[in-house]
Amino acid sequence: MQSDIEIAQAAEVWPIDDIAAKVGLQKHEVEPYGRDKAKINIDPTVARKTALGKLILVTSINPTPAGEGKSTVTVGLSDALALAGKNVMIALREPSLGPVMGMKGGATGGGYSQVVPMADINLHFTGDFHALTSAHNTLAAVIDNSIYQGNPLNIDPRRMIWKRALDVNDRALRHTVIGLGGPTSGVPREDGFDITVASELMAILTLSHDLMDLKARIEKIVIGYTYDREPVTVKELGVAGALTTLLKDAIKPNLVQTLAHTPTLIHGGPFANIAQGTNSIRATKTALQLADYVVTEAGFGADLGGEKFLDFKVPLLGKTPDAIVIVATVRALKMHGGKAKDDLKTPDVEALKRGLANLGQHLNAMMRYGVPVVVAVNRFVTDTPEEIETVAAYAREHGAEAYLANVWEQGGAGAPELAQAVIEAVERPSVFKPLYDFEDEAMDKLNKIVTTIYGGAGVELSDKAAKQLKQFAKYGWDKLPIIMAKTQYSLSDDAKKLGAPKDFKIHVREFVPKLGAGFLVAMTGSILTMPGLPKHPAAYDIDIDENGHITGLF
Amino acid sequence: MQSDIEIAQAAEVWPIDDIAAKVGLQKHEVEPYGRDKAKINIDPTVARKTALGKLILVTSINPTPAGEGKSTVTVGLSDALALAGKNVMIALREPSLGPVMGMKGGATGGGYSQVVPMADINLHFTGDFHALTSAHNTLAAVIDNSIYQGNPLNIDPRRMIWKRALDVNDRALRHTVIGLGGPTSGVPREDGFDITVASELMAILTLSHDLMDLKARIEKIVIGYTYDREPVTVKELGVAGALTTLLKDAIKPNLVQTLAHTPTLIHGGPFANIAQGTNSIRATKTALQLADYVVTEAGFGADLGGEKFLDFKVPLLGKTPDAIVIVATVRALKMHGGKAKDDLKTPDVEALKRGLANLGQHLNAMMRYGVPVVVAVNRFVTDTPEEIETVAAYAREHGAEAYLANVWEQGGAGAPELAQAVIEAVERPSVFKPLYDFEDEAMDKLNKIVTTIYGGAGVELSDKAAKQLKQFAKYGWDKLPIIMAKTQYSLSDDAKKLGAPKDFKIHVREFVPKLGAGFLVAMTGSILTMPGLPKHPAAYDIDIDENGHITGLF
């Protein structure tokens, strides 16, 4: 069996201009990065065909260490739609470099359902994340310089929100003290680093329609508070223009291709807990202008990325989805049913049946939005026919059809029925019903998310969070959309509660205002915004030879 | 008068494939980044024409705040050579992003002697520095992770050499404490950040002939010491392959063009104090294969970049220079003669005559290498004919001819005589005489540099530095080439001593071993490896409009 990187490096990759031509892009709209990557620069508000493409959201059950293969299914489904003669584009998130050196697989699919050039996409790609790192840390340097140069904005160094950022898994940078070394080296204060994808600039970049929208959002970022507890914004610091200049290319979506040469936009990678968790609005809009079918995914499970896509991204996008695909695997469902990770290869219909409650909750949650929902069972070689039929029967009982996706092994040829089901689903009449209005009170929004999407009993605020809501009302921030930062492993805020827990409360520890992105993050449990490396990091195994041939990348 | 960015943005920029074709590059050797930048991937050890190009080194007097315009002259001279019908390429260093947001002008020339696309080159360019930042901090994370995960290499966290790096001017990061926040967030220790161009990886990248040379050098980096005071290398950490993989594209030189469409390789930007201060060996070798005339520059004055180019880069390059151009300005020489910066516009032949001693020392130093030396007087509008003639007469008395470079105002058309003089100089027979042998003792190397190049009386070691030399002999490091880290403003190690000071000693405070780069840095005075921002950073003035038009970049 070949590894992902072996398959990817052996692939025949078409010149990117040929991929661009498949969706009607002209040469002046394509900025090449090498011969197999490009940035696309079109105005996605200008119609290029009679109707926007059909929008298909791929989401999943709660992820487990067993792996769900959501990206793999997204790529395989798209290639299957292309095989069925459809004009299709994919809109994915960019992988973060930090985890690539740590332990996580990339976001470029797997097996014969991959996006290429796989190594480049997982390493520096077209430099978008590096531009974000630069902009993020330029702002941090300007803030500390302002404090050092007489502090004209009266910034309280003990009440900072803006930290520094690096696209590295580096736990030692989580909590730091900076400004040491005497009077010429700044003002000492507590600080810390987030991984770049956790930067508010990432959320902003992927929400911005154009450069001026980007600049306006950057101006609104609150970086901390004055000694008088008034918020301090980037507008007051006067560097929104410089930061926007640093992001002038990063705002343009990146074009690559699948192994089957399906045009794929990969752009932006905000987390699905502390941010909206989907690729950029600009990339999605660009794809909708260029293709008849646009397949996109949202991070983590339907409770996190799915909910945020539907309640937060859709209103900004101005286009509702035409179908939702929920990815599940027999292996992961068995884990949700209590089976140990090391024991997943043995058939166990009883564990599977117990775990199906997790799929059931996500199915109910997604179906309430009024959009057709299809279940995709991402096939592993150890799955038995009885196990697969058990999932299909469960889905049918809950009002949806389940189809096999054998795309890791066969590419698009492994999912003809799934593709056909999606083609039929997007033609079904549907009326999109959002979960909440932006004007709802914060507590109403929170409770709707917890009860309807998570199947929980409601929300509890810490004293600090309750106090913050009152304070935010004073600043006019209390009606912002809520972005729930919760563990991805459970529908509850306890990562160990698999399956479909009941009667639980979600505990909001604090809110983090993201004024540029335009949302309030509700922090539950301990969400790490700077990962660490494992005992044996992937970096130990990555190597390159004299011909540039890479090994050990997953 | 138009600003540099206005001139650059109004320029007619040719498609990069056309620029590549001018020097015989084929499509498969060119990896485009946008339509006006590309990476060049050829084997520079394979002959493409009957002889290597002529190599012309541009260096200067000690820089002053008045500005010398070394890059501007490099570009203007090259365009003048092209106007004279020569097949010419430029090999320059890449600008660092940190200073662009601070106060320094870019390294892309000025006026009508510029390299374009100016904004892109000064911002992210093709991502080389971002790749270095990633590799540098990946290594740092791996080191701290190794300490955290049981410290199998017995690394002493109090004796670390490897710091972290960012391409930002951020004084608050010079001295930090990391690993705070309890047992799950690493091991607390003192740390700090250098600006990315100061990373040893920058020196290594620009010295490496190919990927395997790069990997072998990375393996040799000493990151710190064990509790038993034994050096710890990257090879022991096992991530040389991963770091080389992160630099697989950064090792390829970048092709751009001047306003007059002269092909220009811009690649790497090591400092000329703590590193070798010139563009990459690979870029220079590539240019020598492609063009008949290769014009390159070295950082700071002839005492720093010039000396390092001749004594350290030339042996590794395997090609000696055919001519050396020393850039001077009337304004800077008047400052060296004691005239105040605010008073430079008024004619003052007496101050000029006093300051000419600075030029004299550099002339003597460069002429001793046995290569023809030409003086270029970079013209400012306030220069009087008498002042210019005074410089020319001084140069003649010291055995060199001086020529006017009016290239800021006129581009290549402003330096026909300088170009003709260089064309004649490179044909003169010459025998290159290096200053020292690599096998010389460290003290001999140091004394030769100080007495012959700086015109000083010798070198003094601190107790620490003397102790280090003994320790390094034990590790076999004592015969490495010496890289002198000294202020660029004076021939001495006191930035305030302008002109040509005499009878001074150079005080070496400590040595910094750079085993991957293969040199010992001799630290004199206080060399900052992380700059700060000024009270009014350039970032305050940089802006971009809805069409991507940039203002305020210099």
Side-chain angles (χ1 to χ4, degrees):
Chain A
M1 184 64 72
Q2 285 189 299
S3 70
D4 287 356
I5 180 81
E6 285 168 339
I7 293 169
Q9 288 191 136
E12 177 217 358
V13 181
W14 287 9
I16 201 64
D17 284 339
D18 295 353
I19 300 296
K22 280 180 87 166
V23 286
L25 286 164
Q26 298 186 312
K27 195 172 174 185
H28 72 272
E29 297 168 328
V30 179
E31 298 173 7
Y33 279 66
R35 299 287 176 192
D36 50 11
K37 307 176 286 292
K39 283 198 164 279
I40 303 302
N41 199 15
I42 67 167
D43 181 348
T45 64
V46 176
R48 296 170 73 100
K49 48 189 175 58
T50 50
L52 289 179
K54 297 289 185 181
L55 182 59
I56 299 137
L57 169 66
V58 178
T59 181
S60 79
I61 60 171
N62 287 98
T64 70
E68 288 65 49
K70 193 173 50 191
S71 301
T72 304
V73 171
T74 301
V75 173
L77 167 60
S78 304
D79 285 343
L81 289 167
L83 273 180
K86 300 304 183 184
N87 169 20
V88 57
M89 274 188 101
I90 308 175
L92 288 178
R93 288 176 300 159
E94 298 180 50
S96 171
L97 181 54
V100 168
M101 293 291 146
M103 59 192 301
K104 185 177 158 291
T108 49
Y112 289 90
S113 290
Q114 285 191 64
V115 182
V116 285
M118 181 266 232
D120 284 2
I121 297 168
N122 279 298
L123 297 173
H124 309 293
F125 202 19
T126 58
D128 293 344
F129 288 14
H130 293 324
L132 284 163
T133 302
S134 289
H136 187 111
N137 294 316
T138 295
L139 175 54
V142 165
I143 293 167
D144 275 297
N145 188 57
S146 183
I147 294 171
Y148 171 82
Q149 306 275 7
N151 203 3
L153 296 178
N154 197 31
I155 297 167
D156 185 345
R158 305 161 308 172
R159 288 198 172 80
M160 300 293 292
I161 295 173
W162 200 257
K163 301 199 286 182
R164 283 169 171 80
L166 272 179
D167 194 3
V168 177
N169 281 24
D170 193 346
R171 68 172 65 73
L173 291 179
R174 280 178 199 151
H175 304 284
T176 64
V177 172
I178 61 166
L180 301 171
T184 62
S185 292
V187 177
R189 67 176 183 86
E190 287 183 59
D191 193 26
F193 284 70
D194 289 334
I195 193 163
T196 297
V197 285
S199 169
E200 185 176 353
L201 283 175
M202 171 64 87
I204 288 173
L205 182 78
T206 47
L207 291 171
S208 297
H209 293 278
D210 53 37
L211 279 176
M212 295 303 99
D213 185 17
L214 175 62
K215 185 153 67 177
R217 285 176 176 275
I218 290 174
E219 284 186 337
K220 289 182 194 156
I221 294 172
V222 172
I223 59 95
Y225 298 90
T226 67
Y227 283 103
D228 306 322
R229 311 249 181 133
E230 291 300 319
V232 179
T233 66
V234 172
K235 186 182 172 82
E236 294 169 78
L237 282 158
V239 291
L243 302 185
T244 307
T245 302
L246 284 169
L247 298 173
K248 75 181 176 66
D249 295 308
I251 198 176
K252 302 170 193 163
N254 308 294
L255 180 68
V256 287
Q257 63 193 286
T258 68
L259 292 173
H261 317 298
T262 300
T264 304
L265 292 176
I266 299 197
H267 195 219
F271 275 130
N273 45 29
I274 59 159
Q276 74 273 21
T278 69
N279 74 301
S280 78
I281 284 194
R282 186 155 161 155
T284 309
K285 286 175 79 171
T286 296
L288 289 166
Q289 291 292 359
L290 295 173
D292 298 329
Y293 290 75
V294 174
V295 185
T296 190
E297 67 167 356
F300 298 141
D303 52 334
L304 287 174
E307 186 273 325
K308 293 175 176 80
F309 184 96
L310 296 164
D311 291 326
F312 182 68
K313 179 170 176 175
V314 160
L316 293 168
L317 187 64
K319 169 80 179 86
T320 59
D322 299 284
I324 298 172
V325 176
I326 301 179
V327 178
T329 63
V330 167
R331 287 158 54 90
L333 289 168
K334 285 195 283 194
M335 274 200 83
H336 277 293
K339 206 164 173 67
K341 192 189 167 193
D342 298 337
D343 195 26
L344 293 175
K345 288 181 184 172
T346 53
D348 189 340
V349 172
E350 289 314 307
L352 175 61
K353 280 184 177 169
R354 286 194 302 273
L356 277 164
N358 186 267
L359 174 61
Q361 176 60 34
H362 290 299
L363 256 179
N364 289 339
M366 292 296 102
M367 289 199 295
R368 78 147 298 289
Y369 287 92
V371 175
V373 177
V374 174
V375 174
V377 182
N378 184 22
R379 187 165 186 272
F380 280 69
V381 283
T382 49
D383 299 349
T384 66
E386 187 190 2
E387 286 176 324
I388 291 168
E389 177 47 36
T390 302
V391 179
Y394 183 89
R396 268 193 304 274
E397 284 162 27
H398 288 74
E401 293 292 328
Y403 300 89
L404 218 52
N406 195 14
V407 295
W408 189 90
E409 196 177 327
Q410 298 182 7
E417 291 170 347
L418 174 64
Q420 198 54 43
V422 167
I423 290 168
E424 287 168 19
V426 298
E427 298 302 333
R428 257 179 261 156
S430 67
V431 178
F432 180 78
K433 291 176 291 190
L435 181 68
Y436 59 76
D437 286 335
F438 280 15
E439 283 306 304
D440 285 353
E441 297 292 334
M443 281 304 287
D444 290 344
K445 290 178 184 140
L446 285 163
N447 276 312
K448 282 181 183 174
I449 293 170
V450 171
T451 55
T452 311
I453 306 298
Y454 304 168
V459 72
E460 279 179 348
L461 303 189
S462 71
D463 290 350
K464 177 176 182 181
K467 200 171 147 193
Q468 280 181 304
L469 275 192
K470 281 181 201 151
Q471 185 197 11
F472 292 174
K474 185 181 129 194
Y475 304 139
W477 305 344
D478 54 325
K479 295 290 179 69
L480 289 171
I482 297 281
I483 292 290
M484 192 74 91
K486 178 182 72 67
T487 175
Q488 67 267 36
Y489 297 113
S490 171
L491 284 157
S492 76
D493 57 10
D494 177 353
K496 298 203 181 82
K497 287 187 178 157
L498 303 189
K502 291 290 163 203
D503 302 322
F504 60 87
K505 294 247 182 180
I506 294 284
H507 306 88
V508 176
R509 145 167 83 76
E510 71 171 307
F511 292 97
V512 182
K514 306 269 186 181
L515 276 293
F519 52 66
L520 297 180
V521 183
M523 301 294 286
T524 76
S526 56
I527 298 291
L528 280 181
T529 51
M530 172 54 91
L533 290 172
K535 189 151 192 158
H536 187 96
Y540 287 178
D541 303 316
I542 297 172
D543 204 358
I544 189 167
D545 70 13
E546 63 271 29
N547 302 312
H549 191 87
I550 297 168
T551 47
L553 203 61
F554 321 130
Chain B
M1 184 64 72
Q2 285 188 298
S3 71
D4 287 356
I5 180 82
E6 285 169 341
I7 293 169
Q9 288 192 135
E12 177 218 357
V13 181
W14 287 8
I16 200 64
D17 284 340
D18 296 354
I19 300 298
K22 281 179 86 167
V23 286
L25 286 163
Q26 299 186 312
K27 196 173 174 185
H28 72 273
E29 297 169 326
V30 179
E31 297 173 7
Y33 279 68
R35 298 289 175 190
D36 49 11
K37 307 177 286 294
K39 284 197 164 281
I40 302 304
N41 199 15
I42 66 166
D43 180 349
T45 63
V46 175
R48 297 170 73 100
K49 48 189 176 58
T50 51
L52 290 180
K54 296 289 185 182
L55 180 60
I56 299 138
L57 169 66
V58 179
T59 181
S60 79
I61 60 171
N62 286 98
T64 71
E68 289 64 48
K70 191 172 52 190
S71 301
T72 304
V73 171
T74 301
V75 173
L77 166 60
S78 304
D79 284 343
L81 289 167
L83 274 180
K86 300 303 183 186
N87 169 19
V88 58
M89 274 189 101
I90 308 174
L92 289 177
R93 287 176 301 158
E94 296 180 50
S96 170
L97 181 53
V100 168
M101 293 291 146
M103 58 191 305
K104 184 176 161 290
T108 51
Y112 289 91
S113 291
Q114 285 191 65
V115 182
V116 286
M118 181 266 233
D120 284 2
I121 297 169
N122 279 296
L123 297 173
H124 310 293
F125 201 19
T126 59
D128 294 343
F129 289 13
H130 293 324
L132 284 163
T133 302
S134 290
H136 187 110
N137 294 316
T138 295
L139 175 53
V142 165
I143 294 168
D144 276 297
N145 187 58
S146 182
I147 295 171
Y148 171 82
Q149 305 275 8
N151 201 6
L153 297 177
N154 196 33
I155 296 167
D156 185 346
R158 306 161 308 173
R159 289 196 170 82
M160 299 293 293
I161 295 173
W162 199 256
K163 301 200 287 183
R164 284 170 171 80
L166 271 179
D167 195 2
V168 176
N169 280 22
D170 193 346
R171 70 171 65 73
L173 291 180
R174 280 179 199 150
H175 305 284
T176 64
V177 172
I178 61 167
L180 301 171
T184 62
S185 292
V187 178
R189 67 175 182 89
E190 288 182 57
D191 192 28
F193 283 71
D194 289 335
I195 192 163
T196 297
V197 285
S199 168
E200 184 175 354
L201 283 176
M202 171 65 86
I204 288 173
L205 182 78
T206 49
L207 291 171
S208 297
H209 292 278
D210 54 36
L211 280 176
M212 294 304 97
D213 185 17
L214 175 61
K215 186 154 64 178
R217 285 176 176 275
I218 289 173
E219 284 186 336
K220 290 182 193 155
I221 295 172
V222 172
I223 60 94
Y225 299 90
T226 65
Y227 283 104
D228 306 321
R229 311 251 181 132
E230 291 300 319
V232 179
T233 66
V234 172
K235 186 182 172 81
E236 294 168 78
L237 283 158
V239 290
L243 302 184
T244 306
T245 302
L246 284 168
L247 298 173
K248 74 181 177 68
D249 295 308
I251 199 176
K252 302 170 193 164
N254 308 293
L255 180 68
V256 289
Q257 62 192 286
T258 69
L259 293 174
H261 317 300
T262 300
T264 304
L265 292 176
I266 300 196
H267 194 219
F271 275 130
N273 44 30
I274 57 158
Q276 73 271 23
T278 69
N279 75 300
S280 77
I281 284 195
R282 186 154 163 156
T284 308
K285 287 175 79 169
T286 297
L288 288 167
Q289 291 291 1
L290 296 173
D292 297 328
Y293 290 75
V294 174
V295 187
T296 189
E297 66 167 356
F300 299 142
D303 52 333
L304 288 175
E307 187 273 324
K308 292 175 176 80
F309 184 95
L310 296 164
D311 292 326
F312 181 68
K313 180 170 176 176
V314 160
L316 291 169
L317 187 63
K319 169 80 180 84
T320 59
D322 297 285
I324 298 172
V325 176
I326 301 179
V327 178
T329 64
V330 167
R331 290 158 52 92
L333 288 169
K334 286 195 283 194
M335 275 201 83
H336 276 295
K339 205 163 171 68
K341 191 190 167 191
D342 297 339
D343 195 25
L344 293 174
K345 288 181 183 170
T346 53
D348 189 339
V349 172
E350 290 314 308
L352 175 60
K353 282 183 176 167
R354 285 193 303 273
L356 277 164
N358 187 265
L359 174 60
Q361 176 61 34
H362 290 298
L363 255 178
N364 288 340
M366 292 296 103
M367 288 198 296
R368 77 148 299 290
Y369 287 91
V371 175
V373 177
V374 174
V375 175
V377 182
N378 185 21
R379 185 163 188 273
F380 279 70
V381 284
T382 51
D383 299 349
T384 67
E386 187 190 3
E387 287 175 324
I388 290 168
E389 178 46 36
T390 303
V391 180
Y394 182 90
R396 268 194 304 274
E397 285 162 26
H398 289 74
E401 293 292 328
Y403 300 90
L404 217 53
N406 196 12
V407 295
W408 190 89
E409 196 176 327
Q410 299 181 7
E417 292 171 345
L418 174 64
Q420 199 53 45
V422 168
I423 290 168
E424 287 167 19
V426 298
E427 299 302 334
R428 257 179 260 159
S430 67
V431 178
F432 180 78
K433 292 176 291 191
L435 181 66
Y436 60 75
D437 286 335
F438 279 16
E439 283 306 304
D440 285 353
E441 298 290 335
M443 280 304 288
D444 290 344
K445 289 178 185 141
L446 284 163
N447 276 312
K448 282 180 183 173
I449 293 170
V450 172
T451 55
T452 310
I453 307 297
Y454 303 169
V459 72
E460 281 179 347
L461 303 189
S462 72
D463 290 350
K464 176 175 183 180
K467 199 171 146 194
Q468 281 182 304
L469 276 192
K470 281 181 202 153
Q471 185 198 14
F472 291 175
K474 185 181 127 195
Y475 304 139
W477 304 345
D478 53 325
K479 295 290 179 69
L480 288 171
I482 296 282
I483 291 290
M484 192 75 91
K486 177 183 72 66
T487 174
Q488 67 266 38
Y489 296 113
S490 170
L491 284 157
S492 77
D493 58 10
D494 177 353
K496 297 204 179 82
K497 288 188 180 158
L498 303 190
K502 291 289 163 206
D503 302 324
F504 60 87
K505 294 246 183 180
I506 293 284
H507 307 87
V508 176
R509 147 167 83 75
E510 71 170 305
F511 292 97
V512 181
K514 305 270 187 180
L515 275 294
F519 53 66
L520 297 180
V521 183
M523 301 294 286
T524 77
S526 57
I527 299 290
L528 280 180
T529 49
M530 172 53 93
L533 290 171
K535 189 151 193 159
H536 186 97
Y540 287 178
D541 304 316
I542 297 172
D543 204 358
I544 190 167
D545 70 12
E546 63 270 31
N547 301 313
H549 191 88
I550 296 168
T551 48
L553 203 61
F554 322 131

